[in-house]
Amino acid sequence: MRRRLFAAMLMVGLLSGCGVFTKPTDTTTIERQQAINAWARAKILYGRAVALAERACASGQWSPAECEKAAQLHQQAKKLGAEVEAKLATPESEVDWSRVMKLLELAIDILL
């Protein structure tokens, strides 16, 4: 009786437990509207960081080196923004999300 129970449990585990033996996917899928909403919020956050940086540079609160760094970051952000907008318009295109996160981290550093 125990052997049959063990055999049945083993078969159930082998046949239905494929997830135990597979590697999780590296891809996370979100709904398109959620991506659009998240991108809109990120643009607002970044826009505030840009405005803060522009005011700090115009008033002399930041050094010329910091202002140059902020200007270079802004140029990168514009290119990245175009990539994300293309992804939202054409879901088959690719976006380097690690770059998106890095730019958002820099924007948060400016705001805080």
Side-chain angles (χ1 to χ4, degrees):
M1 179 74 172
R2 285 187 183 183
R3 286 185 184 175
R4 285 186 183 176
L5 181 60
F6 177 74
M9 289 175 56
L10 182 61
M11 289 302 286
V12 168
L14 290 175
L15 295 176
S16 66
C18 293
V20 174
F21 301 106
T22 60
K23 179 183 173 208
T25 182
D26 291 334
T27 303
T28 301
T29 304
I30 63 171
E31 291 181 20
R32 187 170 183 274
Q33 188 60 51
Q34 289 177 334
I36 290 169
N37 294 346
W39 179 242
R41 289 182 180 126
K43 287 193 314 186
I44 290 169
L45 171 67
Y46 183 76
R48 289 182 180 167
V50 168
L52 188 142
E54 287 174 348
R55 281 194 307 268
C57 289
S59 67
Q61 291 175 330
W62 285 10
S63 70
E66 289 173 318
C67 293
E68 179 61 29
K69 185 177 177 181
Q72 290 173 356
L73 171 67
H74 187 57
Q75 291 304 315
Q76 292 176 23
K78 287 195 291 186
K79 291 177 187 175
L80 183 61
E83 288 179 32
V84 173
E85 295 290 337
K87 175 64 178 172
L88 293 174
T90 311
E92 296 81 25
S93 62
E94 294 292 326
V95 173
D96 184 351
W97 291 106
S98 64
R99 286 180 48 214
V100 172
M101 292 308 299
K102 183 62 179 171
L103 285 172
L104 288 175
E105 288 171 11
L106 293 171
I108 289 170
D109 286 345
I110 290 171
L111 289 173
L112 302 177

